[in-house]
Amino acid sequence: MQPSRLRMTPPQMFAGISLLLIAVVLVVSNLTQSTFFRQAIVERESVIMRDMVKAIIHEERGENELTPADMERYTGVAAKQHFEHTFRAMRTLTGVARIKVFNPDKMIIWSDAPDLIGTYLTGNLQDLARALDGEVRAVFDPAGHGIPVEELPRFPLIEFYVPFTLKNPGAASGTVSGVLAIYRSAEGINETIRYGLFLLWSVTGLTGGSCSSLFSGCSVPYISASARPRCSSRS
């Protein structure tokens, strides 16, 4: 007895190839959309941070509570009071673990951790440099470790580097006066991303399942028709 061979009719082959293509497209599109979705969430949070810092700096500058001179004479009593008045309240924001103010020389001139003042401690020097060029940067620290000497909390963090400008008569318009670094818990953002990706995969999964059922249903009539016995006509 010869072993039976699995033979596929043209409709079955078409359905199989179509399902394979659908699966590949779904996987590739999900990976691409997942990256886009994550980036979109981070960019939204960066815009919120930028607008908040911009509003605070504008108000404090208008009340003369923060001046260009403070950035140069950061060790002075008046400068310390101005920094405390301007930035200390941000420490009460949900999830904030650390605040630093960098001057254009990339030195920390104020922080809620006083031991860091006068140092150049940062785990993301390139992002700090890009922020000093005027770009808002956001960096994930999955381990939440940062630099050991900083003694940051042991949970995932997202670090925002937000440039700000203080008008100085001798400086060009738009010149960055410093960078505010805000370290926040990434749990809220990660939870939003996980939920969004769950919805994304669920929708695409249902779409793939519907297409699979459609192709399977379309192939059944052809398979049934080809399986019917044919009667030979006799002359």
Side-chain angles (χ1 to χ4, degrees):
M1 177 182 295
Q2 293 182 350
S4 59
R5 295 181 179 180
L6 179 62
R7 295 182 178 180
M8 297 182 65
T9 62
Q12 289 176 318
M13 293 182 62
F14 175 76
I17 294 174
S18 299
L19 291 177
L20 179 61
L21 291 175
I22 290 173
V24 172
V25 170
L26 288 178
V27 171
V28 173
S29 62
N30 273 329
L31 292 176
T32 303
Q33 293 176 16
S34 298
T35 302
F36 173 80
F37 181 78
R38 184 181 183 89
Q39 186 62 30
I41 293 294
V42 173
E43 289 180 357
R44 185 198 66 179
E45 293 295 321
S46 298
V47 170
I48 293 175
M49 282 292 175
R50 181 201 64 193
D51 293 344
M52 179 183 67
V53 172
K54 185 177 180 179
I56 292 174
I57 295 297
H58 178 76
E59 181 178 356
E60 297 301 314
R61 185 180 59 197
E63 297 178 356
N64 206 33
E65 290 290 346
L66 189 64
T67 66
D70 295 330
M71 304 297 294
E72 299 175 0
R73 297 188 289 271
Y74 65 92
T75 57
V77 176
K80 290 180 179 179
Q81 291 176 347
H82 289 171
F83 288 139
E84 285 282 337
H85 182 270
T86 302
F87 300 113
R88 173 63 69 176
M90 299 183 68
R91 190 66 173 83
T92 61
L93 293 176
T94 303
V96 172
R98 176 73 74 245
I99 300 176
K100 301 176 187 175
V101 178
F102 291 89
N103 67 6
D105 295 326
K106 303 176 184 178
M107 183 174 66
I108 301 173
I109 58 176
W110 185 86
S111 175
D112 61 322
D115 292 342
L116 300 179
I117 298 176
T119 68
Y120 297 83
L121 289 176
T122 178
N124 301 285
L125 190 58
Q126 293 182 352
D127 293 283
L128 174 59
R130 293 177 67 172
L132 286 169
D133 287 335
E135 181 181 352
V136 180
R137 300 294 298 170
V139 185
F140 274 101
D141 180 10
H145 295 164
I147 301 175
V149 72
E150 292 193 58
E151 298 182 354
L152 292 170
R154 309 287 289 186
F155 51 72
L157 296 172
I158 180 170
E159 305 170 18
F160 295 95
Y161 294 85
V162 186
F164 62 88
T165 300
L166 298 172
K167 289 184 178 180
N168 192 328
S173 177
T175 300
V176 174
S177 302
V179 171
L180 177 64
I182 306 173
Y183 294 54
R184 294 188 67 181
S185 169
E187 184 55 36
I189 294 178
N190 286 335
E191 183 64 26
T192 301
I193 292 173
R194 284 194 293 266
Y195 181 71
L197 294 181
F198 170 76
L199 292 179
L200 177 64
W201 280 88
S202 298
V203 170
T204 53
L206 290 175
T207 302
S210 300
C211 292
S212 174
S213 300
L214 177 62
F215 279 110
S216 298
C218 290
S219 63
V220 168
Y222 292 101
I223 297 173
S224 300
S226 62
R228 293 173 185 171
R230 298 181 180 179
C231 297
S232 58
S233 58
R234 294 183 180 178
S235 57

